[in-house]
Amino acid sequence: MSDTDTRQSLADLGELTNTAAAPAAAAPAVEAAAEAPVAPAAPPAPLREREVDAQGRSYATGRRKDAVARVWVKPGTGKITINGRDQEVYFARPTLRLVINQPFGIAEREGQYDVIATVKGGGLSGQAGAVKHGISQALTTQEPALRSVVKKAGFLTRDSRAVERKKYGRAKARRSFQFSKR
């Protein structure tokens, strides 16, 4: 946007907002506002407080399918430990490691936090989702300003999808038994 366009927009805005004020008094204010550089608005103060323990860790619980993850996040070098093992050992599939690291990628905090997690229940995919949910929750308690970014990505919401139960008279949840004509 050029300076002329900016001045014209500010003049139009001044005319709309100063309907009760005299036009002669509004014109110098509009010109002064056009010449002064506009400072970017400061980010709003977070609504929540930072929650950390004596060691500087923030704790959260993540859940996905039947898996439950207890997650501690603290400032560090980016080391992720799950059930006492490194993430490359515990989650051998690269896609699962990608899932775990998504919250750090969205928040642009790769390699800045160490994660210690204990996971129980479910399979590897559910456990990876639970750790991701826990990391997201703990990251927002560590840095409340990141909450809007992580929430917009949908990482703070628990994924409630679970396996549908088997029904009687059916082979599985919805599949019928093989049809037999006679």
Side-chain angles (χ1 to χ4, degrees):
M1 217 172 162
S2 68
D3 291 337
T4 311
D5 292 339
T6 305
R7 286 190 188 118
Q8 183 62 42
S9 298
L10 287 172
D12 294 343
L13 183 64
E15 289 173 10
L16 291 173
T17 56
N18 295 325
T19 55
V30 171
E31 290 175 10
E35 293 172 6
V38 179
L47 299 174
R48 298 165 188 262
E49 286 188 29
R50 185 173 184 239
E51 298 174 29
V52 292
D53 61 5
Q55 287 89 19
R57 304 176 301 183
S58 58
Y59 170 79
T61 305
R63 291 184 174 88
R64 171 83 172 96
K65 294 187 178 181
D66 283 337
V68 179
R70 300 184 308 158
V71 180
W72 290 268
V73 173
K74 65 178 181 176
T77 58
K79 186 171 190 259
I80 299 178
T81 307
I82 296 144
N83 289 349
R85 291 187 272 176
D86 197 42
Q87 70 168 340
E88 283 84 14
V89 176
Y90 196 83
F91 292 117
R93 275 187 270 165
T95 53
L96 298 179
R97 290 197 301 270
L98 191 71
V99 166
I100 288 174
N101 290 314
Q102 277 180 332
F104 295 117
I106 290 292
E108 297 174 358
R109 298 287 188 272
E110 293 103 341
Q112 296 182 19
Y113 288 100
D114 288 344
V115 176
I116 299 165
T118 57
V119 196
K120 292 180 182 174
L124 286 176
S125 178
Q127 287 185 350
V131 171
K132 170 185 156 184
H133 185 230
I135 288 173
S136 303
Q137 298 274 12
L139 201 58
T140 57
T141 57
Q142 185 80 23
E143 277 189 65
L146 295 177
R147 183 173 172 80
S148 62
V149 176
V150 178
K151 188 174 178 71
K152 194 176 284 187
F155 295 159
L156 295 180
T157 307
R158 185 216 194 274
D159 191 352
S160 60
R161 294 177 296 164
V163 177
E164 191 175 347
R165 79 169 195 87
K166 184 195 176 303
K167 278 76 170 187
Y168 55 86
R170 297 267 174 172
K172 292 168 71 176
R174 298 190 180 200
R175 191 197 189 297
S176 302
F177 291 114
Q178 184 172 342
F179 176 73
S180 174
K181 201 171 200 178
R182 282 177 254 298

